[in-house]
Amino acid sequence: MAAVTVNTRRVMTDSAGVSERSSRSSGPGASGRSAETWKGDIVRQLKHRDLSQHVMFQDLIRFYTQLLEKTSLDKRILSCSVRPPSSDSSRSVSSLLHRNNQLKTTTGELAYQVVNLQQQIKIKECALEEQHARLQEEERRLAGAFGAQQELLERVERVKELNGALKLEYDTLLERQRGAETRLREEKVRGGHLLEDMIHLKQQAAARMNSRNERRSRAREAKLQKELQTAARSEVTVDSPSSAPNSRCTSPKNEKRTESSERGHTRLFRSASVTSPRILTSIKELFDRKRRGHSVCSQEEDLMCPVGICLQARVPVRALQVLEAHEQGINTVRFSSRSDLLATGGTDRVVKLWEVRAGSLTHRATLDGSTEGITCVEFDSTDSRVLAASYDQSALLWQRDQSIPKLTLTGHRRKVTAARFSTLPHQVMTGSADRTIRLWDLQRAACVQVVEVASSCSDLVCSENCFISGHYDSKIRVWDTRTVGCLQEIPAQGKVTSLDISSDRRQLLSCCRDDCLQLVDLRRWSNDRMCFRAEGFKCGSDSTKAVISPDACFLAAGSADGVIYIWNVSTGNLETLLPATHSSSVTAVSWSSSGEYVVSVDKSRLAVLWSDI
């Protein structure tokens, strides 16, 4: 508003100077011409100014025009004030004053608006500067983000290149794997063909050997029959002292009677020639040949060794020896029939033989060959062979003095939990977690019978004309060995972990996961059962093995807390507790056939020899 006022005053000063110059230059005579001249100059100057400063001073011109109007209005007001006022003039003056006041008010409002607008302009300029600052900051951030984007794009490209290389390598490895799988299938097929050819060749060789043995047997029988007939036709003369002198004095008729009577007597002694050493040897060799046949067993294995009879088992009271028998946990233990050997099997994949002498265990041999842990071990009746079951889905047969397996019986699809010698010669039975029981012929080293069962087999025992299996479905099954059919199912109190049969084959012991031992009388179809429990006894695993004493008077089992529990069969009560020598769960217990020793093993590699000495 101050700038507008200054400009207005400058324009008015310029106009006054122009008017004075015009009046000075013109004389009194030339008043009309001089008036037209200075007006024209003013008009030209104004037009020139209007043309040169119209845009810049447009607002100033508008305010100047308003000021001129106000000035002319003031002049009229002054002129009216000099003259005596009249009614009309007073009204016009009052209207002019009112209008002047309105103009002043409008001018003040406009000035106030100009000030407000200038303040808003300053505020807008500050906001604009802030926006410019933020815009610059965002531009900087955008530049940084753009750089990071470029780095990420480069990284993506590198990752893509690396993924491409890995994809090529993966494709190469996949092709190699497919080729290896193809070769493996071909090798399996080839191995199957080779196995079939080998089995066929073995069958042919066995057939040839059997036919040869049969021919030899028939020839030997024919020879023996011929010798028997020759011996039967030969006569044996028996001289008596009373008849010798009279034979010389008799008549021919009496001689004939005497001869006929002698023939009648000699018929009683014709068969005595059968007992000659040569014929006895022939008969013995014939039966030996027929018994052996084409077998993987030697003649020594067929000879039955006498087994000592235990009159009374002694209850152990203290530990004679504690030793770390294996490098890892021990799963099974078994005495030989003569009680001079002990076999242990563990998760370290070996079977160890220990000699029992003078109340101590001495390591004798280590039997290798299994690729996984041993679950069950047993001696044959002659103590010359050792049979073991393994987690590697097989059973292994060793000669006692050989560390390499003589036979490996394969065919189960899961771990073999039990392996037992049958009562029949050269037969073995195995039970597995694949719900099958298999009968093996050691002469042919082949499976001859497969029995499908509804549950996994945990243990086996063999008796005359039957075998008994325990299962995880809480049932004990009795099978006929002749028909291989299930004769009876005996319910148990829980999952069966082990079975043991008494030496007289009359009582069956089962250990179950419900912490109970069950003794079954096999002589009765009702299967009278006795249950044995004790406070603190707990079955430690699904393969915990309990045992009957040789005289069938006591039961022994190991608990999960390392304590050995012994029950009295006649009273049904707990006989004794052996101290907790074991530091972990006891897995198996074995009682020697002589009744003198008890051995217990656990999962912490310890074997403890117990006795009453």
Side-chain angles (χ1 to χ4, degrees), residues 530 532-533 554 566-576:
M530 296 178 62
F532 298 85
R533 298 179 183 271
F554 301 99
I566 298 179
W567 289 268
N568 192 314
V569 175
S570 59
T571 62
N573 298 325
L574 186 66
E575 182 73 15
T576 185

Side-chain angles (χ1 to χ4, degrees), residues 266-466:
T266 57
R267 288 174 184 174
L268 298 174
F269 299 95
R270 283 176 183 172
S271 60
S273 62
V274 180
T275 61
S276 61
R278 186 180 66 181
I279 296 177
L280 286 176
T281 303
S282 300
I283 293 174
K284 183 176 181 299
E285 291 179 355
L286 175 62
F287 284 113
D288 287 344
R289 177 73 65 179
K290 292 180 70 177
R291 185 174 59 186
R292 289 196 303 269
H294 181 59
S295 172
V296 297
C297 307
S298 62
Q299 185 176 0
E300 295 179 356
E301 297 170 2
D302 295 332
L303 299 178
M304 300 296 292
C305 297
V307 179
I309 299 175
C310 175
L311 298 179
Q312 183 178 4
R314 289 183 277 182
V315 178
V317 294
R318 69 185 186 92
L320 299 181
Q321 186 179 4
V322 179
L323 71 154
E324 289 190 359
H326 286 255
E327 295 180 358
Q328 298 180 16
I330 308 174
N331 298 326
T332 180
V333 61
R334 178 73 65 171
F335 272 102
S336 64
S337 59
R338 288 179 289 188
S339 304
D340 59 342
L341 280 179
L342 180 74
T344 57
T347 55
D348 56 357
R349 301 176 294 181
V350 297
V351 174
K352 290 189 177 182
L353 300 182
W354 307 85
E355 189 173 357
V356 185
R357 182 179 297 175
S360 64
L361 299 177
T362 305
H363 182 257
R364 179 170 179 176
T366 300
L367 308 181
D368 300 314
S370 176
T371 59
E372 294 188 23
I374 303 297
T375 59
C376 179
V377 65
E378 188 179 42
F379 289 94
D380 69 342
S381 58
T382 64
D383 295 341
S384 60
R385 294 176 294 176
V386 179
L387 179 66
S390 174
Y391 277 95
D392 63 359
Q393 306 175 10
S394 68
L396 300 96
L397 180 69
W398 290 273
Q399 287 294 119
R400 189 180 64 183
D401 298 328
Q402 297 178 0
S403 61
I404 301 175
K406 187 174 184 179
L407 284 178
T408 301
L409 308 177
T410 59
H412 287 286
R413 297 185 300 274
R414 296 183 64 184
K415 67 177 180 179
V416 180
T417 54
R420 304 292 183 189
F421 286 101
S422 175
T423 55
L424 300 177
H426 315 307
Q427 281 191 355
V428 167
M429 307 201 71
T430 58
S432 172
D434 63 357
R435 300 184 179 183
T436 61
I437 300 173
R438 292 177 179 261
L439 177 64
W440 305 84
D441 186 357
L442 298 182
Q443 293 180 343
R444 295 182 295 170
C447 179
V448 296
Q449 186 73 38
V450 179
V451 181
E452 299 285 344
V453 196
S455 178
S456 299
C457 178
S458 59
D459 204 356
L460 288 171
V461 291
C462 297
S463 182
E464 296 179 358
N465 299 327
C466 70

Side-chain angles (χ1 to χ4, degrees), residues 32-57:
R33 186 174 55 85
S34 61
E36 292 178 0
T37 302
W38 67 263
K39 287 182 180 180
D41 292 335
I42 290 173
V43 171
R44 282 194 302 271
Q45 289 178 7
L46 291 175
K47 286 182 178 181
H48 177 71
R49 187 188 59 187
D50 183 59
L51 291 175
S52 61
Q53 298 180 356
H54 178 74
V55 177
M56 297 176 60
F57 299 99

Side-chain angles (χ1 to χ4, degrees), residues 12 26 58 78 81 109 186 226 233 235 240 282 363 396 414 451 500 503 507 542 549:
M12 293 176 66
S26 59
Q58 186 174 4
L78 290 174
S81 61
E109 292 177 356
E186 292 176 355
K226 185 177 180 181
R233 284 194 299 270
E235 296 180 357
S240 61
S282 300
H363 182 257
L396 300 96
R414 296 183 64 184
V451 181
D500 193 26
S503 57
Q507 292 179 318
D542 290 344
S549 64

Side-chain angles (χ1 to χ4, degrees), residues 244-256:
N246 295 333
S247 62
R248 294 190 184 96
C249 302
T250 56
S251 62
K253 186 175 181 179
N254 291 332
E255 289 178 1
K256 290 181 180 179

Side-chain angles (χ1 to χ4, degrees), residues 181-222:
E181 289 178 352
T182 303
R183 290 192 298 272
L184 178 61
R185 286 194 295 269
E186 292 176 355
E187 290 297 329
K188 285 184 178 180
V189 173
R190 183 181 176 185
H193 292 329
L194 291 176
L195 182 61
E196 292 177 359
D197 295 341
M198 183 177 66
I199 294 174
H200 183 64
L201 292 175
K202 284 189 175 182
Q203 290 176 351
Q204 290 180 351
R208 288 195 298 269
M209 183 63 71
N210 291 334
S211 62
R212 190 182 302 113
N213 292 337
E214 189 68 24
R215 288 195 300 270
R216 290 179 180 176
S217 176
R218 283 198 293 267
R220 192 174 294 276
E221 288 178 357

Side-chain angles (χ1 to χ4, degrees), residues 127-154:
L128 184 61
E129 290 178 357
E130 292 178 359
Q131 293 291 335
H132 280 297
R134 291 179 59 187
L135 180 61
Q136 291 176 358
E137 182 67 23
E138 293 296 331
E139 287 178 352
R140 286 194 297 271
R141 291 179 57 187
L142 180 61
F146 183 75
Q149 181 185 10
Q150 294 297 327
E151 293 179 358
L152 290 176
L153 290 176
E154 293 176 357

